[in-house]
């Protein structure tokens, strides 16, 4: 069985986002009063009192910039939570945020959407990723929240 690794927002990108997000807005840090925000820097839920920021992030655009792809109209940006300060990153390699319905959105090497799949329970993530990457055209998969459509993390081939 293949193991898949969730990719958090890279540390060098986090540094940039903590100055200005992908929409060009300055970042406003706030203490998380309730906890539970899905943090894309360490791929866990926030705890009450942690200093976090909600920033606009363009994951496909940033991936495309590193690969030479041109996602065209598929380029989008959306809100993600991150720690407002330095973060050590994920503590383990288990796929995070699998306790709710998720959508796995597949992208080709040129940045075009190849399809998606609703994943309804944690045990279905591995098989759904195996299915996605069995298509040789799939270069990257975005895991997204169903309720808001927000980007959670990406999984890359190999």
């Amino acid at each position: 069985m293949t193991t898949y690794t969730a990719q958090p927002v890279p540390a060098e990108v986090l540094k940039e986002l903590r100055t200005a997000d992908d929409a060009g807005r300055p970042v406003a840090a706030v203490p998380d009063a309730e906890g539970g925000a899905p943090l894309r820097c360490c791929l866990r839920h926030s705890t009450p009192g942690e200093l976090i920021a909600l920033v606009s992030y363009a994951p496909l655009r940033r991936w495309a910039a590193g690969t030479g792809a041109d996602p065209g109209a598929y380029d989008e940006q959306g809100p993600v939570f991150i720690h407002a300060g330095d973060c050590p990153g994920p503590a383990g390699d288990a796929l995070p945020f699998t306790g709710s319905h998720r959508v796995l959105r597949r992208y080709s090497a040129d940045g075009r959407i190849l399809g998606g799949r609703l994943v309804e329970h944690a045990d279905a993530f591995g098989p759904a990723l195996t299915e996605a990457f069995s298509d040789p055209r799939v270069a990257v998969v975005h895991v997204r929240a169903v309720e808001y459509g927000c980007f959670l993390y990406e999984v890359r081939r190999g």
Side-chain angles (χ1 to χ4, degrees):
M1 180 174 168
T2 303
T3 302
Y4 298 99
T5 304
Q7 303 294 318
V9 175
E12 63 275 9
V13 172
L14 290 167
K15 185 175 180 181
E16 294 172 13
L17 292 174
R18 289 181 181 120
T19 300
D21 69 12
D22 283 349
R25 289 185 290 270
V27 176
V30 296
D32 188 353
E34 298 178 15
L39 297 165
R40 280 37 165 239
C41 49
C42 55
L43 302 180
R44 66 167 176 82
H45 288 102
S46 64
T47 58
E50 282 189 284
L51 199 58
I52 63 171
L54 182 61
V55 299
S56 185
Y57 178 55
L60 191 62
R61 180 184 315 155
R62 288 191 175 261
W63 170 80
T67 64
D70 177 12
Y74 294 107
D75 178 22
E76 60 184 340
Q77 61 190 33
V80 297
F81 290 102
I82 61 173
H83 276 115
D86 288 340
C87 174
D93 58 2
L95 290 176
F97 311 130
T98 59
S100 298
H101 293 128
R102 302 292 181 220
V103 169
L104 303 186
R105 193 183 295 168
R106 306 168 193 176
Y107 292 92
S108 66
D110 62 357
R112 303 297 192 253
I113 291 177
L114 293 174
R117 178 173 173 187
L118 176 66
V119 178
E120 299 186 62
H121 54 85
D123 294 343
F125 271 78
L129 286 165
T130 297
E131 175 189 301
F133 286 117
S134 70
D135 181 343
R137 300 173 301 156
V138 173
V140 66
V141 173
H142 284 183
V143 177
R144 293 182 169 262
V146 170
E147 62 275 28
Y148 298 109
C150 298
F151 170 85
L152 291 168
Y153 57 89
E154 71 181 35
V155 179
R156 295 184 187 182
R157 182 177 293 284

